[in-house]
């Protein structure tokens, strides 16, 4: 496949895979080729309905609402956890001091242990929709399916883990604040606990 910065290429195959499966990582990149790993889990359809199985309603900087998600409750060590997010773009909010408008924000999904620490290697960051979802081009009121394949390391101890989601500025690393049920959260909470899963 070609690089995302190549505006002369539509990357049809990659776009199809991103919509129907779960991108895990860009395993190799050179001047002439990219190798992208996908999980073969079938992703929910981009069209609505159906709506996500779990509803959220959390809003990041009053601009990006996470409508809900589809995440299995259990996963085997060494497997790929399929995470499907549904975003709604509320429009750029000029009064949000934490927000650059417009800007291409990145999504991060992480697996977090009982001590609140990141499981080494169990993190995925990048442009939404597998590089096809530049937030600067999102349309107010639009819905966007965002699929992520999160690799669970084979040495992960069995137990209950949290899945965190955050939106961040890739230039300076700052995170967008989260609003739940219309009430702004503590300023220190710059992420959403999406769900808990059982690692077996």
């Amino acid at each position: 496949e070609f690089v995302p910065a190549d505006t002369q290429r539509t990357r049809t195959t990659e776009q199809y895979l991103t919509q129907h499966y779960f991108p895990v990582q860009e395993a190799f990149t050179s001047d002439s080729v990219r190798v992208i790993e996908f999980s073969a889990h079938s992703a929910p359809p981009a069209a609505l309905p159906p709506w996500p199985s779990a509803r959220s309603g959390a809003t990041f900087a009053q601009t990006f609402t996470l409508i809900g998600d589809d995440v299995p409750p259990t996963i085997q060590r060494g497997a790929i956890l399929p995470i499907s997010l549904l975003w709604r773009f509320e429009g750029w909010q000029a009064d949000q001091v934490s927000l650059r408008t417009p800007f291409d924000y990145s999504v991060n999904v992480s697996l977090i242990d009982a001590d609140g620490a990141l499981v080494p290697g169990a993190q995925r960051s990048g442009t939404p929709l597998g590089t096809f979802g530049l937030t600067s081009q999102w349309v107010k009121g639009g819905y966007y399916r965002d699929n992520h394949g999160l690799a669970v390391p084979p040495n992960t101890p069995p137990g209950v883990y949290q899945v965190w989601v955050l939106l961040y500025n890739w230039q300076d690393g700052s995170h967008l604040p989260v609003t739940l049920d219309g009430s702004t959260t503590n300023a220190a909470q710059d992420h959403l606990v999406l769900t808990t899963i059982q690692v077996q």
Side-chain angles (χ1 to χ4, degrees):
E1 278 292 355
F2 300 94
V3 297
D6 188 345
T7 58
Q8 304 302 313
R9 306 287 184 174
T10 58
R11 300 184 290 145
T12 307
T13 302
E14 183 183 350
Q15 192 162 14
Y16 177 88
L17 290 171
T18 298
Q19 292 173 347
H20 293 85
Y21 302 99
F22 294 83
V24 178
Q25 65 173 329
E26 191 167 306
F28 177 79
T29 303
S30 73
D31 293 338
S32 58
V33 67
R34 289 166 66 229
V35 177
I36 306 166
E37 178 186 359
F38 285 85
S39 170
H41 294 89
S42 294
L48 297 173
W51 295 95
S53 58
R55 301 300 289 267
S56 169
T59 303
F60 294 75
Q62 300 178 11
T63 301
F64 305 95
T65 298
L66 184 59
I67 298 298
D69 63 89
D70 292 286
V71 181
T74 61
I75 190 72
Q76 296 291 324
R77 293 179 291 172
I80 303 298
L81 178 67
I83 300 172
S84 186
L85 310 174
L86 180 64
W87 299 99
R88 184 177 66 221
F89 181 58
E90 309 298 348
W92 298 109
Q93 310 295 321
D95 59 342
Q96 286 291 306
V97 295
S98 61
L99 198 67
R100 292 187 58 180
T101 60
F103 187 75
D104 292 321
Y105 286 95
S106 293
V107 176
N108 176 285
V109 292
S110 304
L111 190 64
I112 306 297
D113 66 19
D115 296 324
L118 171 68
V119 175
Q123 179 175 228
R124 186 174 188 278
S125 297
T127 303
L129 285 65
T131 75
F132 292 98
L134 297 174
T135 59
S136 64
Q137 299 175 14
W138 285 10
V139 177
K140 184 176 181 179
Y143 290 87
Y144 300 88
R145 266 283 183 187
D146 184 23
N147 300 319
H148 300 266
L150 189 63
V152 179
N155 60 347
T156 303
V160 177
Y161 291 80
Q162 293 181 339
V163 177
W164 287 10
V165 175
L166 57 89
L167 283 174
Y168 69 97
N169 179 328
W170 56 270
Q171 289 184 333
D172 62 15
S174 61
H175 301 171
L176 295 184
V178 181
T179 301
L180 296 171
D181 301 322
S183 175
T184 304
T185 63
N186 187 301
Q189 185 173 340
D190 56 4
H191 64 275
L192 173 69
V193 178
L194 184 67
T195 188
T196 58
I197 65 164
Q198 179 78 40
V199 175
Q200 300 177 338

